[in-house]
Coordinates of all heavy atoms in Angstrom, one line a residue:
M1 N 0.8 -1.1 0.0 CA 0.0 0.0 0.0 C 0.9 1.2 0.0 O 1.8 1.3 0.8 CB -0.9 0.0 1.2 CG -1.7 1.2 1.4 SD -2.9 1.3 2.7 CE -2.6 0.2 3.9
N2 N 0.6 2.2 -0.9 CA 1.4 3.4 -1.0 C 0.7 4.4 -0.1 O -0.5 4.6 -0.1 CB 1.4 3.9 -2.5 CG 2.3 3.1 -3.3 OD1 3.2 2.4 -2.8 ND2 2.1 3.2 -4.6
T3 N 1.5 5.1 0.7 CA 1.0 6.2 1.5 C 1.7 7.6 1.1 O 2.8 7.6 0.8 CB 1.2 6.0 2.9 OG1 2.6 5.8 3.2 CG2 0.5 4.7 3.4
Q4 N 0.9 8.6 1.1 CA 1.4 9.9 0.8 C 2.1 10.5 2.0 O 1.6 10.3 3.1 CB 0.3 10.8 0.4 CG -0.4 10.4 -0.9 CD 0.4 10.8 -2.2 OE1 1.1 11.7 -2.1 NE2 0.3 10.1 -3.2
P5 N 3.2 11.2 1.8 CA 3.7 11.8 3.0 C 2.9 13.0 3.5 O 2.1 13.6 2.7 CB 5.1 12.4 2.5 CG 4.9 12.5 1.0 CD 3.9 11.4 0.6
E6 N 3.0 13.3 4.7 CA 2.3 14.5 5.2 C 2.7 15.8 4.5 O 3.9 16.0 4.2 CB 2.6 14.7 6.7 CG 2.0 13.6 7.6 CD 0.6 13.9 8.1 OE1 0.2 15.1 8.0 OE2 -0.1 13.0 8.3
A7 N 1.7 16.6 4.2 CA 2.0 17.8 3.6 C 2.8 18.8 4.6 O 2.4 18.8 5.7 CB 0.8 18.5 3.1
E8 N 3.8 19.4 4.1 CA 4.5 20.4 4.9 C 3.8 21.8 4.8 O 3.8 22.3 3.7 CB 6.0 20.5 4.5 CG 6.8 21.4 5.4 CD 8.3 21.4 5.0 OE1 8.7 20.6 4.3 OE2 8.9 22.2 5.5
L9 N 3.4 22.3 5.9 CA 2.8 23.6 5.8 C 3.8 24.7 6.2 O 4.4 24.5 7.3 CB 1.6 23.7 6.7 CG 0.5 22.8 6.5 CD1 -0.6 22.8 7.5 CD2 0.0 22.9 5.0
W10 N 4.0 25.7 5.4 CA 5.0 26.7 5.6 C 4.3 28.0 6.3 O 3.2 28.4 5.8 CB 5.7 27.1 4.4 CG 6.7 26.2 3.9 CD1 6.8 24.8 4.2 CD2 7.6 26.4 2.8 NE1 7.9 24.3 3.6 CE2 8.4 25.2 2.7 CE3 8.0 27.5 2.1 CZ2 9.4 25.1 1.8 CZ3 9.0 27.3 1.1 CH2 9.7 26.2 0.9
S11 N 4.9 28.6 7.2 CA 4.5 29.8 7.8 C 4.8 30.9 6.8 O 5.6 30.8 5.9 CB 5.2 30.1 9.1 OG 6.5 30.4 8.9
N12 N 4.2 32.1 6.9 CA 4.4 33.2 6.1 C 5.9 33.7 6.2 O 6.5 34.0 5.2 CB 3.6 34.4 6.5 CG 2.2 34.2 6.0 OD1 1.9 33.4 5.1 ND2 1.2 34.9 6.5
E13 N 6.5 33.5 7.4 CA 7.9 33.8 7.6 C 8.8 32.9 6.8 O 9.8 33.3 6.2 CB 8.2 33.7 9.1 CG 7.7 34.9 9.9 CD 6.2 34.8 10.2 OE1 5.6 33.7 10.1 OE2 5.6 35.8 10.6
T14 N 8.4 31.6 6.8 CA 9.2 30.6 6.0 C 9.1 30.9 4.5 O 10.2 30.8 3.8 CB 8.7 29.2 6.3 OG1 8.9 28.9 7.7 CG2 9.6 28.2 5.6
I15 N 7.9 31.3 4.0 CA 7.8 31.7 2.6 C 8.6 32.9 2.3 O 9.3 33.0 1.3 CB 6.3 31.9 2.3 CG1 5.6 30.6 2.5 CG2 6.1 32.5 1.0 CD1 4.1 30.7 2.4
A16 N 8.6 33.9 3.3 CA 9.4 35.1 3.0 C 10.9 34.8 3.0 O 11.6 35.3 2.1 CB 9.2 36.1 4.2
E17 N 11.4 33.9 3.8 CA 12.8 33.5 3.8 C 13.1 32.8 2.5 O 14.2 32.9 1.9 CB 13.1 32.6 5.1 CG 13.0 33.3 6.4 CD 12.9 32.4 7.5 OE1 12.8 31.2 7.4 OE2 13.0 33.0 8.7
F18 N 12.2 32.0 2.0 CA 12.4 31.2 0.8 C 12.5 32.3 -0.3 O 13.4 32.1 -1.2 CB 11.1 30.3 0.5 CG 11.2 29.6 -0.8 CD1 12.0 28.5 -0.9 CD2 10.6 30.1 -1.9 CE1 12.0 27.8 -2.1 CE2 10.6 29.5 -3.1 CZ 11.4 28.3 -3.2
H19 N 11.7 33.2 -0.5 CA 11.9 34.3 -1.4 C 13.2 35.0 -1.4 O 13.9 35.1 -2.4 CB 10.8 35.4 -1.3 CG 9.4 35.0 -1.8 ND1 9.2 34.6 -3.1 CD2 8.2 35.0 -1.3 CE1 7.9 34.3 -3.3 NE2 7.3 34.6 -2.2
L20 N 13.6 35.4 -0.2 CA 14.8 36.1 -0.1 C 16.0 35.2 -0.3 O 17.0 35.6 -1.0 CB 15.0 36.7 1.3 CG 14.0 37.8 1.7 CD1 14.0 38.1 3.1 CD2 14.2 39.0 0.8
N21 N 16.0 34.0 0.1 CA 17.2 33.1 -0.1 C 17.3 32.6 -1.5 O 18.4 32.1 -1.9 CB 17.1 31.9 0.9 CG 17.5 32.2 2.3 OD1 18.2 33.2 2.5 ND2 16.8 31.5 3.3
N22 N 16.3 32.6 -2.4 CA 16.3 32.1 -3.7 C 16.5 33.2 -4.8 O 16.5 32.9 -6.0 CB 15.1 31.3 -4.0 CG 15.2 30.0 -3.3 OD1 15.9 29.1 -3.7 ND2 14.4 29.8 -2.2
A23 N 16.8 34.4 -4.3 CA 17.1 35.5 -5.3 C 18.5 35.3 -5.9 O 19.4 34.9 -5.1 CB 17.1 36.9 -4.6
L24 N 18.5 35.3 -7.2 CA 19.8 35.0 -7.9 C 20.7 36.2 -8.0 O 21.9 36.1 -8.3 CB 19.6 34.4 -9.3 CG 18.7 33.1 -9.3 CD1 18.4 32.7 -10.7 CD2 19.5 32.0 -8.5
N25 N 20.2 37.5 -7.9 CA 20.9 38.6 -8.1 C 20.3 39.7 -7.3 O 19.2 39.6 -6.7 CB 21.1 38.9 -9.6 CG 19.9 39.1 -10.3 OD1 18.8 39.6 -9.7 ND2 19.8 38.7 -11.5
E26 N 20.9 40.9 -7.4 CA 20.4 42.0 -6.6 C 19.0 42.5 -7.0 O 18.1 42.8 -6.2 CB 21.3 43.2 -6.6 CG 20.9 44.3 -5.7 CD 22.0 45.4 -5.6 OE1 23.1 45.3 -6.2 OE2 21.7 46.4 -4.9
D27 N 18.7 42.4 -8.3 CA 17.3 42.8 -8.8 C 16.4 41.8 -8.3 O 15.3 42.2 -7.9 CB 17.3 42.8 -10.4 CG 18.1 44.0 -10.9 OD1 18.2 45.0 -10.2 OD2 18.5 43.9 -12.0
G28 N 16.6 40.5 -8.3 CA 15.8 39.5 -7.8 C 15.5 39.6 -6.3 O 14.5 39.5 -5.8
Y29 N 16.6 40.1 -5.6 CA 16.4 40.3 -4.1 C 15.5 41.5 -3.8 O 14.7 41.5 -3.0 CB 17.9 40.6 -3.5 CG 17.9 40.4 -2.0 CD1 18.0 39.1 -1.5 CD2 17.9 41.4 -1.2 CE1 18.0 38.8 -0.2 CE2 17.9 41.2 0.2 CZ 18.0 39.9 0.7 OH 18.1 39.7 2.1
R30 N 15.7 42.6 -4.7 CA 14.8 43.7 -4.5 C 13.3 43.3 -4.8 O 12.4 43.7 -4.0 CB 15.1 44.8 -5.5 CG 16.4 45.6 -5.2 CD 16.7 46.6 -6.1 NE 18.0 47.1 -6.1 CZ 18.4 48.1 -5.2 NH1 17.5 48.7 -4.5 NH2 19.6 48.5 -5.2
W31 N 13.1 42.4 -5.8 CA 11.8 41.9 -6.0 C 11.3 41.1 -4.9 O 10.1 41.2 -4.4 CB 11.8 41.0 -7.3 CG 10.4 40.3 -7.5 CD1 9.4 40.9 -8.2 CD2 10.0 39.1 -7.1 NE1 8.4 40.0 -8.2 CE2 8.8 38.8 -7.6 CE3 10.6 38.0 -6.3 CZ2 8.0 37.7 -7.3 CZ3 9.9 36.9 -6.1 CH2 8.6 36.7 -6.5
A32 N 12.2 40.2 -4.3 CA 11.8 39.4 -3.1 C 11.4 40.3 -1.9 O 10.5 40.0 -1.1 CB 13.0 38.5 -2.7
I33 N 12.2 41.4 -1.7 CA 11.9 42.3 -0.6 C 10.5 42.8 -0.8 O 9.7 42.9 0.2 CB 12.8 43.5 -0.6 CG1 14.2 43.0 -0.2 CG2 12.4 44.6 0.3 CD1 14.4 42.7 1.4
Q34 N 10.1 43.2 -2.0 CA 8.7 43.7 -2.3 C 7.7 42.6 -2.0 O 6.6 42.9 -1.4 CB 8.6 44.2 -3.7 CG 9.4 45.5 -4.1 CD 8.9 46.6 -3.2 OE1 7.7 46.8 -3.0 NE2 9.9 47.4 -2.8
Q35 N 8.0 41.4 -2.3 CA 7.1 40.3 -2.1 C 6.8 40.2 -0.5 O 5.7 40.0 0.0 CB 7.5 39.0 -2.7 CG 7.6 39.1 -4.1 CD 6.2 39.3 -4.8 OE1 5.2 38.7 -4.5 NE2 6.2 40.3 -5.6
V36 N 7.9 40.2 0.2 CA 7.9 40.0 1.6 C 7.1 41.1 2.3 O 6.2 41.0 3.1 CB 9.3 39.9 2.2 CG1 9.3 40.0 3.7 CG2 10.0 38.6 1.7
L37 N 7.3 42.4 1.8 CA 6.7 43.5 2.3 C 5.1 43.4 2.0 O 4.2 43.7 2.8 CB 7.2 44.8 1.7 CG 8.6 45.2 2.2 CD1 9.1 46.4 1.5 CD2 8.5 45.5 3.7
S38 N 4.8 42.9 0.8 CA 3.3 42.8 0.4 C 2.6 41.7 1.3 O 1.4 41.7 1.3 CB 3.2 42.4 -1.1 OG 3.7 41.1 -1.4
M39 N 3.4 40.8 1.9 CA 2.9 39.8 2.8 C 2.7 40.4 4.2 O 2.2 39.7 5.1 CB 3.8 38.6 2.9 CG 4.0 37.9 1.6 SD 5.4 36.7 1.7 CE 4.8 35.5 2.9
G40 N 3.1 41.6 4.3 CA 2.9 42.3 5.7 C 4.1 42.0 6.6 O 3.9 42.1 7.8
I41 N 5.2 41.5 6.1 CA 6.3 41.1 7.0 C 7.5 42.1 6.7 O 7.8 42.4 5.6 CB 6.7 39.7 6.6 CG1 5.6 38.7 6.9 CG2 8.0 39.3 7.3 CD1 5.9 37.3 6.4
D42 N 8.1 42.5 7.8 CA 9.3 43.4 7.7 C 10.4 42.4 7.6 O 10.7 41.6 8.5 CB 9.4 44.1 9.1 CG 10.6 45.1 9.1 OD1 11.5 44.9 8.2 OD2 10.7 45.9 10.0
P43 N 11.2 42.4 6.4 CA 12.2 41.5 6.2 C 13.4 41.6 7.3 O 14.1 40.7 7.5 CB 12.7 41.7 4.9 CG 12.1 43.0 4.4 CD 10.9 43.3 5.4
T44 N 13.5 42.8 7.9 CA 14.6 42.9 8.9 C 14.2 42.2 10.1 O 15.1 42.1 11.0 CB 14.9 44.4 9.2 OG1 13.7 45.0 9.8 CG2 15.3 45.1 7.9
K45 N 13.0 41.8 10.3 CA 12.6 41.1 11.6 C 12.7 39.6 11.5 O 12.4 38.9 12.4 CB 11.2 41.5 12.0 CG 10.9 43.0 12.1 CD 11.6 43.5 13.3 CE 11.3 44.9 13.6 NZ 12.3 45.7 14.1
L46 N 13.0 39.1 10.3 CA 13.2 37.7 10.1 C 14.4 37.2 10.8 O 15.3 37.9 11.0 CB 13.3 37.3 8.6 CG 12.0 37.6 7.8 CD1 12.3 37.5 6.3 CD2 10.9 36.7 8.2
N47 N 14.4 35.9 11.2 CA 15.5 35.3 11.9 C 16.7 35.3 11.0 O 16.8 34.7 10.0 CB 15.2 33.9 12.3 CG 16.3 33.2 13.2 OD1 17.5 33.7 13.2 ND2 15.9 32.1 13.8
P48 N 17.8 36.1 11.3 CA 18.9 36.2 10.4 C 19.7 34.9 10.2 O 20.4 34.7 9.1 CB 19.8 37.2 11.1 CG 19.4 37.3 12.5 CD 17.9 36.9 12.5
T49 N 19.6 34.0 11.1 CA 20.3 32.7 10.9 C 19.6 31.8 9.8 O 20.2 31.0 9.3 CB 20.4 31.9 12.2 OG1 19.0 31.6 12.7 CG2 21.1 32.6 13.3
N50 N 18.4 32.2 9.4 CA 17.7 31.5 8.4 C 17.9 32.1 7.0 O 17.3 31.7 6.0 CB 16.2 31.4 8.6 CG 15.9 30.6 9.8 OD1 16.7 29.7 10.3 ND2 14.7 30.8 10.4
L51 N 18.6 33.3 7.0 CA 18.8 34.0 5.7 C 20.2 33.8 5.2 O 21.2 33.8 6.0 CB 18.5 35.5 5.9 CG 17.0 35.8 6.2 CD1 16.9 37.3 6.4 CD2 16.1 35.3 5.1
D52 N 20.4 33.7 3.9 CA 21.7 33.6 3.3 C 22.3 35.0 3.2 O 21.7 35.9 2.7 CB 21.5 33.0 1.9 CG 22.8 32.8 1.2 OD1 23.9 32.9 1.8 OD2 22.8 32.4 0.0
H53 N 23.5 35.1 3.7 CA 24.3 36.4 3.6 C 25.5 36.3 2.9 O 26.5 37.0 3.2 CB 24.5 37.0 5.0 CG 23.2 37.4 5.7 ND1 22.5 38.5 5.4 CD2 22.6 36.8 6.7 CE1 21.5 38.6 6.3 NE2 21.5 37.6 7.0
S54 N 25.6 35.3 1.9 CA 26.9 35.0 1.3 C 27.3 36.1 0.2 O 28.4 36.3 -0.1 CB 26.9 33.7 0.7 OG 25.9 33.5 -0.3
E55 N 26.3 36.9 -0.2 CA 26.6 38.0 -1.2 C 26.3 39.3 -0.4 O 25.5 39.4 0.5 CB 25.6 37.9 -2.4 CG 25.8 36.7 -3.1 CD 27.1 36.5 -3.9 OE1 27.8 37.5 -4.2 OE2 27.4 35.4 -4.3
T56 N 27.1 40.4 -0.8 CA 27.0 41.6 -0.1 C 25.6 42.2 -0.3 O 25.2 43.0 0.6 CB 28.0 42.6 -0.6 OG1 27.9 42.8 -2.1 CG2 29.5 42.1 -0.3
W57 N 24.8 41.9 -1.3 CA 23.5 42.5 -1.5 C 22.4 41.7 -0.8 O 21.3 42.1 -0.8 CB 23.2 42.5 -3.0 CG 23.5 41.3 -3.8 CD1 24.6 41.1 -4.5 CD2 22.7 40.2 -4.0 NE1 24.5 39.9 -5.2 CE2 23.4 39.3 -4.8 CE3 21.5 39.7 -3.4 CZ2 22.9 38.0 -5.2 CZ3 21.0 38.5 -3.8 CH2 21.7 37.7 -4.6
Q58 N 22.7 40.6 -0.1 CA 21.8 39.8 0.6 C 21.7 40.3 2.0 O 21.8 39.6 3.0 CB 22.2 38.3 0.6 CG 22.1 37.7 -0.8 CD 22.5 36.3 -0.8 OE1 23.6 36.0 -0.4 NE2 21.7 35.4 -1.4
R59 N 21.2 41.6 2.2 CA 21.0 42.1 3.5 C 19.7 42.9 3.4 O 19.7 44.0 2.8 CB 22.2 42.9 3.9 CG 23.5 42.1 3.9 CD 24.6 42.9 4.4 NE 24.4 43.5 5.6 CZ 24.7 43.1 6.9 NH1 25.4 42.0 6.9 NH2 24.5 43.7 8.0
P60 N 18.7 42.5 4.1 CA 17.4 43.2 4.0 C 17.4 44.6 4.4 O 16.7 45.5 3.9 CB 16.4 42.4 5.0 CG 17.1 41.1 5.1 CD 18.6 41.3 4.9
E61 N 18.3 45.0 5.4 CA 18.3 46.3 5.9 C 18.8 47.3 4.9 O 18.6 48.5 5.0 CB 19.1 46.4 7.2 CG 20.6 46.0 7.1 CD 20.9 44.6 7.2 OE1 19.9 43.8 7.2 OE2 22.1 44.2 7.2
L62 N 19.5 46.8 3.8 CA 20.0 47.8 2.7 C 18.8 48.2 1.9 O 19.0 49.3 1.2 CB 21.0 47.1 1.9 CG 22.3 46.6 2.5 CD1 23.1 45.8 1.5 CD2 23.0 47.7 3.0
Y63 N 17.7 47.6 1.9 CA 16.6 47.8 1.0 C 15.3 48.3 1.7 O 14.5 48.9 1.0 CB 16.3 46.7 0.2 CG 17.6 46.1 -0.5 CD1 18.2 45.0 0.0 CD2 18.0 46.6 -1.7 CE1 19.3 44.5 -0.6 CE2 19.1 46.1 -2.3 CZ 19.8 45.0 -1.7 OH 20.8 44.5 -2.3
T64 N 15.2 48.0 3.0 CA 13.9 48.1 3.6 C 13.5 49.6 3.8 O 12.3 49.9 3.7 CB 13.8 47.4 4.9 OG1 14.9 47.7 5.7 CG2 13.8 45.9 4.7
T65 N 14.3 50.5 4.2 CA 13.9 51.9 4.4 C 13.3 52.4 3.1 O 12.2 52.9 3.0 CB 15.1 52.8 4.8 OG1 15.6 52.2 6.0 CG2 14.7 54.2 5.1
Q66 N 14.0 52.3 1.9 CA 13.5 52.7 0.6 C 12.3 51.9 0.2 O 11.4 52.5 -0.3 CB 14.7 52.6 -0.4 CG 14.3 53.1 -1.8 CD 15.5 52.9 -2.7 OE1 16.4 52.2 -2.4 NE2 15.3 53.4 -3.9
A67 N 12.4 50.7 0.4 CA 11.3 49.8 -0.1 C 10.1 50.0 0.8 O 8.9 50.0 0.2 CB 11.7 48.3 0.0
L68 N 10.2 50.2 2.1 CA 9.0 50.5 2.9 C 8.3 51.8 2.6 O 7.1 51.9 2.4 CB 9.4 50.6 4.4 CG 9.6 49.2 5.1 CD1 10.2 49.4 6.5 CD2 8.3 48.5 5.2
A69 N 9.1 52.8 2.2 CA 8.6 54.1 1.8 C 7.9 53.9 0.4 O 6.8 54.4 0.3 CB 9.7 55.2 1.7
K70 N 8.4 53.2 -0.4 CA 7.8 53.0 -1.8 C 6.6 52.1 -1.7 O 5.6 52.4 -2.4 CB 8.9 52.3 -2.8 CG 8.4 52.1 -4.1 CD 9.5 51.5 -5.0 CE 9.1 51.4 -6.4 NZ 10.1 50.8 -7.2
H71 N 6.6 51.1 -0.8 CA 5.5 50.2 -0.6 C 4.3 50.9 0.0 O 3.2 50.6 -0.4 CB 5.9 49.0 0.2 CG 4.9 48.0 0.4 ND1 4.5 47.2 -0.6 CD2 4.1 47.7 1.4 CE1 3.6 46.4 -0.2 NE2 3.3 46.6 1.0
K72 N 4.5 51.9 0.9 CA 3.4 52.6 1.5 C 2.8 53.6 0.6 O 1.7 54.1 0.9 CB 3.9 53.2 2.8 CG 4.3 52.1 3.9 CD 4.7 52.7 5.2 CE 4.9 51.7 6.2 NZ 5.4 52.1 7.5
S73 N 3.5 54.1 -0.4 CA 3.0 55.1 -1.3 C 2.1 54.6 -2.3 O 1.9 53.5 -2.6 CB 4.1 55.9 -1.8 OG 5.0 55.1 -2.6

């Protein structure tokens, strides 16, 4: 008998981290920041140990002040 594995349910924070960690370049990261903000999540409040920081542009705080202002307008 075949059984299906349990579905894994992701929290909004996990989805936000997925968006940020899967950006391939700075433009993609900016897009991911916008997606995270549209989910109502401040990317600077995510657990930093869950975020990739291997590239200099992978830092939410570099984009959030500008992105938050743009997102609210």
Side-chain angles (χ1 to χ4, degrees):
M1 173 173 25
N2 290 339
T3 59
Q4 296 281 332
E6 290 273 335
E8 181 178 348
L9 300 178
W10 286 13
S11 68
N12 286 342
E13 288 76 14
T14 302
I15 295 168
E17 292 164 355
F18 178 83
H19 281 306
L20 294 171
N21 286 332
N22 285 286
L24 299 177
N25 55 36
E26 190 171 356
D27 288 336
Y29 200 79
R30 289 179 193 274
W31 177 86
I33 291 286
Q34 291 298 321
Q35 295 302 305
V36 171
L37 291 171
S38 71
M39 295 168 65
I41 296 172
D42 180 350
T44 63
K45 304 291 187 214
L46 295 171
N47 185 343
T49 60
N50 293 341
L51 296 176
D52 184 9
H53 294 285
S54 59
E55 301 288 341
T56 57
W57 45 263
Q58 290 177 311
R59 302 184 53 98
E61 63 275 6
L62 297 176
Y63 309 96
T64 50
T65 303
Q66 181 183 11
L68 280 169
K70 186 177 180 180
H71 184 72
K72 290 181 179 179
S73 59

